Amino acid sequence: MKHSQTLIPTLKEVPADAEIKSHQLLVRAGFIRQTASGVYSFLPLGNKVLKKVENIVREEMEKAGAAEMLMPALQPADLWKKTGRWYTFGPELMRINDRHDREFALGATHEEVITNLISDEVKSYKKLPITLFQIQSKYRDEKRPRFGLLRGREFVMKDAYSFHDSFESLDEAYDKMVTAYSTIFERCGLDFRAVIADSGAMGGKDTHEFMVLSEIGEDTIAYSDSSDFAANIEMAPVLVDYRKENEELMSLDKVETPGYKTMQEVSQYLNKPLDKGIKSILFKVDERFVLVLSRGDHEINDIKLKNLYQTTDIELASEQEALQVLGAKVGSLGPINVSNVEVIADNAVEFIVNGYCGANEDDKHFINVNPSRDFQVKNYEDLRFIQEGDPSPDGKGTIRFAKGIEVGHVFKLGQLYADKLGATYLNEQGKQETMIMGCYGIGVSRTLAAIVEQYHDEKGITWPKEISPYDIHLIVVNPKNEEQSRLSDKLYNQLMDQRVSVLYDDRKERPGVKFADSDLIGLPIRITVGKKANEGIVECKLRTTGEQFDLHESEIMSKIQSLLA
Amino acid sequence: MKHSQTLIPTLKEVPADAEIKSHQLLVRAGFIRQTASGVYSFLPLGNKVLKKVENIVREEMEKAGAAEMLMPALQPADLWKKTGRWYTFGPELMRINDRHDREFALGATHEEVITNLISDEVKSYKKLPITLFQIQSKYRDEKRPRFGLLRGREFVMKDAYSFHDSFESLDEAYDKMVTAYSTIFERCGLDFRAVIADSGAMGGKDTHEFMVLSEIGEDTIAYSDSSDFAANIEMAPVLVDYRKENEELMSLDKVETPGYKTMQEVSQYLNKPLDKGIKSILFKVDERFVLVLSRGDHEINDIKLKNLYQTTDIELASEQEALQVLGAKVGSLGPINVSNVEVIADNAVEFIVNGYCGANEDDKHFINVNPSRDFQVKNYEDLRFIQEGDPSPDGKGTIRFAKGIEVGHVFKLGQLYADKLGATYLNEQGKQETMIMGCYGIGVSRTLAAIVEQYHDEKGITWPKEISPYDIHLIVVNPKNEEQSRLSDKLYNQLMDQRVSVLYDDRKERPGVKFADSDLIGLPIRITVGKKANEGIVECKLRTTGEQFDLHESEIMSKIQSLLA
């Protein structure tokens, strides 16, 4: 492609609204432009990269035995009402009425449409298992779209769905997908981890996220420093590996803690370690109250709480409610003498000796508190967030944290959607059964941004070979010089004839502008036709290493082939 | 691809709602399924064909020097308000509000978004001309979606836009596009015509439609039987080639025509030929009244009327308005003694001798009416629809009609959108000028349906080679027979290794079911592994001709290569 025939509007300045590198560089290098908040146009270079990622995804999906299809973005509301998500998805689901006032959702995901389709078309176990995928624009009306392509409202996604007659068959498909995803992100050149995750609003149980490691990631990954264990901290289980201190039990006492509310404040005031504190938080779970205890240096993980009670309806009780139920304000709550609400505790609490906790009287705390002697709990559970330094849940090594960008997600959905949409089949015995499902997503446009987060330097993007919009950046230093212009035109035509993917900067711009644009755009190999054109010599420069050498025109093709191999 | 791994839900019955062959066959052969009225899912085979057409379009667009990009479907209403189409596009434009109640249009077309983008990014004549295209789902809320993929509400389109600093440059790009379009539709195997068309709601002047000839087409093409003239009848000019009959002028007379209103009725009652009648229709043009005359056997073409008055605001006057303005009901109107409204006439009227027309009194007509003697008109114009038998407007041959399916449309937009969206540039002299634009659309999913309209027989679809979802349909007659199963598996693996595109019917179905499905799906070459498997012999059958012959397994690859060449 000749630069003069395409649109690559590079910018010198960093756009004011672009906080992260991928957003800044994709805009500055002329790959994308914002059309509305969270809504982008992919300019020719951006579209090239998008198609490269799409093709990698397509190839690996097909290798994994999935068949490509294409579902519409306009989805009848009726289907979403059947699964209930019309009501629970919230404002992220964009809704539109047609001219006859019929309601539609704008595809945020396609479980409803595909399950309804399969329910109509697949009636026998003979046609199972089947895995279908599509690559398509999705719509989610994010509250705060940001970070360019990382959190947009219209974005390109690959979504796949599998249907099965047994959980073993689902496990097989799931494992194939995990393998395919790993290959996809490897081919994209990404440093990533597959981590145990929470299934959130999608329903289902087993689920992994594919996280690209990056400081700007919005998710935190807890990983072991000595094994391949990795989980979203939302989901990472905590090993019960606490020890009781060998200390004599002292007698319970009530003390004044005037105005001290947080665990840190009380710990300092009482001059007792934070890990002897018993933090007591009153939650409202499905309209009833539950007092949840954790150690003072730990944080309650509300996703674990939700999973324990199998509900999404969990919130903190208000100041008013705390006063009403336990007789004290938040900050002085505790488990002692509480009989009117359920009390549960994180496993660590059981091991506290001579601890302290709120006394259910404002500005008063108990000290020398000992679980089971001084209060009872219904259950000890794994309720807290894992922390750096904790033992790895697989028993191997110590937990470290890293930030990650979620680029893929695989779920075992089970029978949730099939149940609600009546996706049944006749088994080998002629008996009607409900299908078992999996679903598998990749944020294609987000992956593109994640690649730029990992592949850039101070001058611009440094595309990995398989993703780069073109392989070669051919630059003519002075197109008005006849020898330079003749040689570069000749090379361009040769490269095109050999189907080498090349961007030819044929513009009448100053060399400095061309070189700066070339560094910004970041193609792997730059070939510059300059002063030595009369000797048939060009300069070759590698974007990533900066390595630079002269080549005679006769050597170019073989050198390129070896560099790209 | 193995049949058992994909979704091809064939049907024996014709779906009740499918009126035309392409709709029936694409549903029956398992290529598409309806998700909502006018909204379809492309199943794996449908998606394959769609991608084939897309790739042909992409290749030819790139050859024509256009660069691919991708714009969003969510388009800020502000842009549409600037061009005024937010108000004029009507209910076909789907509209959606985001969570902050900001208005968006769902992309029906992208002139607004691209012109706004180019206006921001291109400031100098040096960056012109440029042609950009995208392939993407579009949304138009058709009043009556029908005919499957032919008139849907969500459909795949290729749209291209070109920007220029001169009309000559636009002409060049336009001609390149016309050539590219012809190549695209030829590669799709289509019998089509490029016809002169009306630019309708898109604005602009020069425009051609690409029409696939088909009895079920919703458009009528007027073409010459002796030249390459072809136009949509909406636009076909009519040659002034009338002759006055050599007849003595008789004196004007008023006669009773009790209850006779239409030209046919009056013609029969008066026993005078239809082509001596002067049809008089009262229109409301931009809020004023115009009486429009045509010959009794001709029909007024309201698009010609709109173009004459350069307005879209033209409607028939009501019964009430006719009475008020001309003193008689519709059916007895005429031009004689009319002074309070403008009278215009189609060219043919001037040549009528001793004609007849309404007398502006209910149930009365004038006879022996002679234009210019008995009434005056402001202008004679080309106002009627062309008819079969008329001379071709290029003076060569006679007009015939054919029905066509519009699959492509090219427009010279001029400066309409650039003006309204401020797309200006600095010319070589540093002076600010408004850009000149062209736009070019192809209905990709509609093209797919048009291909099926031209490629089918009583048994199913007969895909042309370049479009077929797979080249080879490999069928094992009895997969339980070890020799058959072994040979067909071996052939499948060989074909896959050689990257031959093959669909392998590995199902445990009766041979009759497999053959019927194979005819319905319509791949060009069928290879059947049956009883002669033990001798290494298979049967090869060509879908289009029905030709059938045995092949030894050693010959298969070379035979396939020559058949597909």
Side-chain angles (χ1 to χ4, degrees):
Chain A
M1 173 64 81
K2 290 183 179 173
H3 197 127
S4 59
Q5 286 193 342
T6 186
L7 180 68
I8 309 177
T10 53
L11 301 174
K12 282 199 189 114
E13 305 296 320
V14 174
D17 64 330
E19 300 168 54
I20 61 166
K21 279 290 170 188
S22 61
H23 188 187
Q24 293 171 1
L25 288 171
L26 287 168
V27 171
R28 283 190 55 214
F31 283 66
I32 60 170
R33 282 296 181 270
Q34 184 176 284
T35 300
S37 168
V39 178
Y40 288 84
S41 287
F42 291 86
L43 305 189
L45 288 184
N47 181 68
K48 278 263 175 207
V49 192
L50 193 66
K51 294 286 181 289
K52 291 251 180 148
V53 178
E54 285 182 13
N55 280 335
I56 291 174
V57 170
R58 179 172 287 123
E59 282 174 22
E60 298 305 325
M61 282 297 109
E62 285 176 355
K63 277 187 206 157
E68 187 174 4
M69 62 177 300
L70 181 64
M71 288 176 274
L74 288 174
Q75 307 187 355
D78 284 353
L79 296 178
W80 286 75
K81 288 177 180 171
K82 280 189 189 162
T83 62
R85 291 207 291 182
W86 184 257
Y87 312 104
T88 58
F89 214 96
E92 269 192 33
L93 185 67
M94 300 193 80
R95 296 147 209 256
I96 190 166
N97 284 20
D98 74 2
R99 66 194 296 155
H100 304 295
D101 234 19
R102 280 182 294 242
E103 294 169 313
F104 287 84
L106 219 52
T109 172
H110 279 74
E111 282 80 10
E112 279 77 2
V113 172
I114 188 101
T115 310
N116 185 57
L117 177 77
I118 294 296
S119 146
D120 286 347
E121 307 300 342
V122 173
K123 307 286 189 191
S124 158
Y125 74 97
K126 285 186 200 166
K127 297 194 172 168
L128 298 175
I130 186 167
T131 304
L132 296 160
F133 77 98
Q134 60 174 352
I135 299 173
Q136 191 210 39
S137 289
K138 293 276 190 286
Y139 302 86
R140 288 187 200 165
D141 199 356
E142 294 282 348
K143 197 168 181 180
R144 274 184 305 164
R146 56 184 182 149
F147 294 163
L149 300 184
L150 276 192
R151 189 166 292 280
R153 301 198 289 171
E154 175 169 350
F155 52 96
V156 179
M157 203 174 142
K158 185 284 299 179
D159 44 330
Y161 307 90
S162 68
F163 297 83
H164 309 271
D165 64 354
S166 74
F167 283 94
E168 292 71 36
S169 166
L170 169 61
D171 290 347
E172 257 175 56
Y174 186 90
D175 291 345
K176 264 193 205 167
M177 282 292 153
V178 168
T179 306
Y181 274 40
S182 295
T183 310
I184 288 166
F185 297 122
E186 275 161 22
R187 287 183 62 185
C188 289
L190 287 165
D191 184 12
F192 69 95
R193 295 242 179 178
V195 309
I196 301 162
D198 178 52
S199 57
M202 305 293 290
K205 281 211 150 175
D206 269 12
T207 158
H208 283 83
E209 284 167 351
F210 286 79
M211 292 280 192
V212 171
L213 301 184
S214 164
E215 278 174 25
I216 59 96
E218 299 184 277
D219 291 275
T220 302
I221 305 162
Y223 68 94
S224 164
D225 62 2
S226 321
S227 77
D228 64 358
F229 174 84
N232 194 310
I233 56 157
E234 292 177 339
M235 279 301 284
V238 174
L239 209 61
V240 182
D241 185 32
Y242 310 105
R243 263 178 257 167
K244 249 186 179 156
E245 279 184 57
N246 205 355
E247 214 176 283
E248 208 175 319
L249 301 198
M250 293 163 69
S251 38
L252 189 68
D253 202 359
K254 197 187 283 181
V255 298
E256 297 277 340
T257 48
Y260 301 106
K261 297 197 163 177
T262 66
M263 287 313 290
Q264 279 75 7
E265 288 166 357
V266 175
S267 152
Q268 280 185 3
Y269 178 69
L270 297 178
N271 196 23
K272 289 174 184 291
L274 202 53
D275 63 10
K276 290 211 173 226
I278 299 172
K279 196 170 359 182
S280 310
I281 300 179
L282 189 63
F283 283 92
K284 232 168 125 180
V285 178
D286 287 335
E287 296 303 305
R288 68 199 170 98
F289 292 98
V290 176
L291 188 66
V292 182
L293 313 182
S294 66
R295 222 167 66 180
D297 58 335
H298 291 159
E299 293 297 328
I300 292 296
N301 179 340
D302 58 345
I303 288 174
K304 289 184 177 176
L305 215 49
K306 284 175 185 170
N307 289 342
L308 177 67
Y309 285 101
Q310 305 226 335
T311 179
T312 56
D313 184 15
I314 287 191
E315 54 183 21
L316 286 176
S318 67
E319 193 81 19
Q320 189 61 34
E321 285 166 338
L323 201 58
Q324 216 169 317
V325 175
L326 294 175
K329 287 189 196 151
V330 172
S332 300
L333 304 183
I336 296 177
N337 300 325
V338 170
S339 57
N340 56 338
V341 300
E342 186 171 310
V343 181
I344 60 169
D346 178 65
N347 291 318
V349 173
E350 194 173 4
F351 297 83
I352 293 176
V353 178
N354 297 326
Y356 52 94
C357 66
N360 292 331
E361 288 178 53
D362 286 348
D363 295 334
K364 296 218 163 73
H365 275 73
F366 284 114
I367 57 168
N368 302 330
V369 178
N370 286 288
S372 93
R373 183 192 74 179
D374 299 327
F375 65 90
Q376 303 299 322
V377 306
K378 193 180 166 218
N379 281 107
Y380 288 102
E381 303 277 356
D382 175 9
L383 294 177
R384 71 166 172 100
F385 279 106
I386 203 163
Q387 293 182 341
E388 280 195 291
D390 278 336
S392 177
D394 64 356
K396 297 171 194 157
T398 301
I399 285 299
R400 298 278 167 254
F401 281 1
K403 290 287 183 182
I405 300 166
E406 183 196 336
V407 287
H409 209 155
V410 290
F411 296 93
K412 292 183 187 170
L413 285 179
Q415 299 180 304
L416 191 71
Y417 293 92
D419 249 342
K420 295 201 170 166
L421 290 158
T424 59
Y425 65 96
L426 295 180
N427 69 12
E428 214 163 342
Q429 287 74 44
K431 206 184 132 213
Q432 186 165 296
E433 301 271 11
T434 300
M435 291 183 201
I436 296 160
M437 289 176 62
C439 79
Y440 320 91
I442 288 180
V444 176
S445 40
R446 182 184 280 189
T447 296
L448 196 164
I451 294 169
V452 178
E453 286 298 332
Q454 289 194 344
Y455 286 89
H456 67 264
D457 61 18
E458 70 289 348
K459 290 179 181 169
I461 308 174
T462 58
W463 290 107
K465 274 186 294 188
E466 217 180 331
I467 304 297
S468 182
Y470 296 92
D471 293 332
I472 311 288
H473 208 159
L474 176 64
I475 292 180
V476 53
V477 173
N478 180 7
K480 286 178 194 156
N481 174 298
E482 207 175 304
E483 274 165 337
Q484 293 185 24
S485 154
R486 197 180 39 76
L487 179 57
S488 56
D489 281 355
K490 183 178 153 196
L491 288 178
Y492 177 65
N493 292 329
Q494 273 177 3
L495 291 167
M496 291 296 283
D497 285 348
Q498 300 283 321
R499 298 183 175 274
V500 175
S501 142
V502 55
L503 178 66
Y504 177 19
D505 194 342
D506 58 341
R507 291 177 300 166
K508 295 189 181 82
E509 291 281 359
R510 285 182 296 110
V513 171
K514 290 184 174 187
F515 292 135
D517 277 357
S518 172
D519 283 338
L520 192 54
I521 292 167
L523 310 185
I525 302 169
R526 181 201 291 172
I527 290 177
T528 305
V529 179
K531 283 182 184 160
K532 295 185 187 164
N534 55 352
E535 305 165 51
I537 288 175
V538 302
E539 185 195 88
C540 182
K541 186 175 181 184
L542 307 186
R543 176 66 184 89
T544 305
T545 60
E547 197 189 337
Q548 198 167 327
F549 45 88
D550 280 356
L551 277 178
H552 189 266
E553 55 170 313
S554 59
E555 308 167 290
I556 293 177
M557 210 55 73
S558 64
K559 186 68 186 171
I560 284 174
Q561 271 153 7
S562 75
L563 286 170
L564 292 175
Chain B
M1 173 64 82
K2 289 184 180 173
H3 197 127
S4 59
Q5 286 193 340
T6 185
L7 180 68
I8 310 177
T10 54
L11 300 175
K12 283 199 187 116
E13 305 296 321
V14 174
D17 64 329
E19 299 168 53
I20 61 166
K21 279 290 171 188
S22 60
H23 189 186
Q24 293 170 1
L25 288 170
L26 287 169
V27 172
R28 283 190 55 214
F31 283 66
I32 60 170
R33 282 296 182 269
Q34 185 177 284
T35 299
S37 167
V39 177
Y40 288 85
S41 287
F42 290 85
L43 306 189
L45 289 183
N47 181 67
K48 277 261 175 209
V49 191
L50 193 65
K51 294 287 180 288
K52 290 252 180 148
V53 177
E54 285 181 13
N55 280 334
I56 291 174
V57 170
R58 180 171 287 125
E59 282 174 23
E60 297 305 326
M61 282 297 109
E62 285 177 354
K63 276 187 206 157
E68 187 174 4
M69 62 178 299
L70 180 64
M71 287 176 275
L74 288 174
Q75 307 186 356
D78 284 353
L79 296 178
W80 286 74
K81 287 177 181 171
K82 279 188 188 161
T83 62
R85 292 206 292 183
W86 184 257
Y87 312 104
T88 57
F89 213 96
E92 269 192 34
L93 185 67
M94 300 193 80
R95 295 148 210 256
I96 189 165
N97 284 20
D98 74 2
R99 66 195 295 155
H100 305 294
D101 233 20
R102 282 182 295 243
E103 294 170 312
F104 287 84
L106 218 53
T109 171
H110 279 75
E111 281 80 10
E112 278 78 1
V113 173
I114 188 100
T115 310
N116 184 59
L117 177 77
I118 294 296
S119 146
D120 286 347
E121 306 300 341
V122 174
K123 306 287 190 190
S124 156
Y125 75 97
K126 286 185 199 166
K127 296 194 172 169
L128 297 175
I130 186 165
T131 303
L132 296 160
F133 78 99
Q134 60 174 352
I135 299 173
Q136 190 209 41
S137 289
K138 293 276 190 284
Y139 302 86
R140 289 186 200 164
D141 199 357
E142 294 281 348
K143 196 167 181 181
R144 274 184 305 163
R146 55 182 182 150
F147 293 164
L149 299 184
L150 277 191
R151 189 166 292 280
R153 301 198 288 172
E154 175 169 351
F155 53 94
V156 179
M157 203 174 143
K158 185 283 301 180
D159 45 329
Y161 306 89
S162 68
F163 297 84
H164 309 272
D165 64 354
S166 74
F167 283 94
E168 294 70 36
S169 166
L170 169 61
D171 290 348
E172 257 175 55
Y174 186 90
D175 291 346
K176 264 193 204 166
M177 281 292 153
V178 168
T179 306
Y181 275 39
S182 296
T183 310
I184 288 166
F185 297 123
E186 275 162 20
R187 287 182 63 185
C188 289
L190 287 166
D191 184 12
F192 68 95
R193 296 239 178 181
V195 309
I196 300 162
D198 178 52
S199 57
M202 303 295 290
K205 282 207 149 176
D206 271 12
T207 157
H208 283 84
E209 284 166 352
F210 286 78
M211 292 280 193
V212 171
L213 302 184
S214 165
E215 279 172 24
I216 59 96
E218 297 185 277
D219 289 275
T220 301
I221 304 161
Y223 68 94
S224 165
D225 62 3
S226 322
S227 77
D228 63 359
F229 174 84
N232 193 311
I233 57 157
E234 290 178 340
M235 279 301 284
V238 174
L239 209 61
V240 182
D241 184 33
Y242 310 104
R243 263 176 256 168
K244 249 188 179 154
E245 277 184 57
N246 203 355
E247 212 177 281
E248 208 176 316
L249 303 198
M250 293 160 71
S251 39
L252 191 68
D253 203 359
K254 196 187 285 180
V255 299
E256 298 276 341
T257 48
Y260 301 106
K261 297 200 160 174
T262 67
M263 287 313 290
Q264 279 75 8
E265 288 167 357
V266 175
S267 153
Q268 279 186 4
Y269 177 69
L270 298 177
N271 196 24
K272 287 174 185 292
L274 200 53
D275 63 10
K276 289 211 172 228
I278 299 172
K279 195 171 0 182
S280 310
I281 299 180
L282 189 64
F283 282 92
K284 230 167 126 179
V285 178
D286 286 335
E287 296 301 305
R288 69 200 170 97
F289 291 98
V290 176
L291 188 65
V292 183
L293 314 181
S294 67
R295 223 167 67 179
D297 59 334
H298 290 159
E299 293 297 329
I300 291 296
N301 178 340
D302 60 343
I303 287 176
K304 289 183 176 178
L305 214 51
K306 284 175 185 170
N307 288 343
L308 177 67
Y309 285 102
Q310 305 224 338
T311 178
T312 56
D313 184 14
I314 288 190
E315 55 183 22
L316 286 176
S318 67
E319 193 80 19
Q320 188 60 35
E321 286 168 336
L323 200 59
Q324 213 169 317
V325 174
L326 294 174
K329 288 187 194 154
V330 172
S332 298
L333 304 182
I336 294 175
N337 301 323
V338 169
S339 57
N340 56 337
V341 299
E342 186 171 309
V343 181
I344 59 168
D346 177 66
N347 291 317
V349 173
E350 193 172 4
F351 297 85
I352 293 175
V353 178
N354 296 325
Y356 53 93
C357 66
N360 293 329
E361 287 176 52
D362 285 349
D363 294 335
K364 295 219 164 73
H365 275 72
F366 282 115
I367 58 169
N368 302 330
V369 177
N370 286 288
S372 92
R373 183 193 74 180
D374 300 326
F375 65 89
Q376 304 299 321
V377 306
K378 191 179 166 218
N379 281 108
Y380 287 102
E381 302 279 357
D382 175 9
L383 294 177
R384 71 167 173 97
F385 278 107
I386 203 163
Q387 293 183 340
E388 279 196 291
D390 279 335
S392 177
D394 63 357
K396 296 172 194 158
T398 301
I399 286 298
R400 296 281 167 253
F401 280 3
K403 291 286 185 184
I405 301 166
E406 184 196 336
V407 287
H409 209 153
V410 290
F411 296 92
K412 291 183 186 170
L413 284 178
Q415 298 179 305
L416 192 69
Y417 293 92
D419 249 342
K420 296 201 169 166
L421 290 159
T424 59
Y425 65 97
L426 295 180
N427 69 11
E428 214 164 342
Q429 287 74 43
K431 206 184 133 214
Q432 186 165 296
E433 302 269 11
T434 300
M435 291 183 201
I436 296 161
M437 288 176 62
C439 79
Y440 319 91
I442 287 180
V444 176
S445 41
R446 182 184 279 188
T447 296
L448 196 165
I451 294 169
V452 178
E453 285 298 329
Q454 290 193 344
Y455 286 88
H456 68 264
D457 61 18
E458 69 290 346
K459 289 180 181 167
I461 308 175
T462 57
W463 291 108
K465 274 186 296 190
E466 216 178 331
I467 303 298
S468 182
Y470 297 91
D471 293 330
I472 312 288
H473 208 158
L474 176 65
I475 293 179
V476 54
V477 173
N478 180 6
K480 286 178 195 158
N481 176 297
E482 206 175 305
E483 273 165 337
Q484 292 186 25
S485 155
R486 198 180 39 77
L487 180 57
S488 55
D489 281 356
K490 181 178 155 197
L491 288 177
Y492 177 66
N493 291 329
Q494 272 177 5
L495 291 166
M496 291 296 283
D497 286 347
Q498 300 282 320
R499 298 183 176 275
V500 176
S501 139
V502 55
L503 178 65
Y504 178 20
D505 193 343
D506 58 340
R507 292 177 298 167
K508 294 190 180 83
E509 290 282 359
R510 285 181 296 110
V513 171
K514 291 185 173 185
F515 292 135
D517 277 356
S518 171
D519 283 338
L520 192 54
I521 292 167
L523 310 185
I525 302 169
R526 180 200 293 171
I527 290 175
T528 306
V529 179
K531 283 183 184 161
K532 294 185 189 165
N534 54 352
E535 305 165 50
I537 288 174
V538 302
E539 185 195 87
C540 181
K541 187 176 181 184
L542 307 186
R543 176 66 184 89
T544 306
T545 60
E547 199 189 335
Q548 200 166 326
F549 45 87
D550 280 356
L551 277 178
H552 188 266
E553 55 170 312
S554 59
E555 307 168 291
I556 292 177
M557 210 55 73
S558 65
K559 186 66 185 173
I560 284 174
Q561 271 154 6
S562 75
L563 285 170
L564 291 175

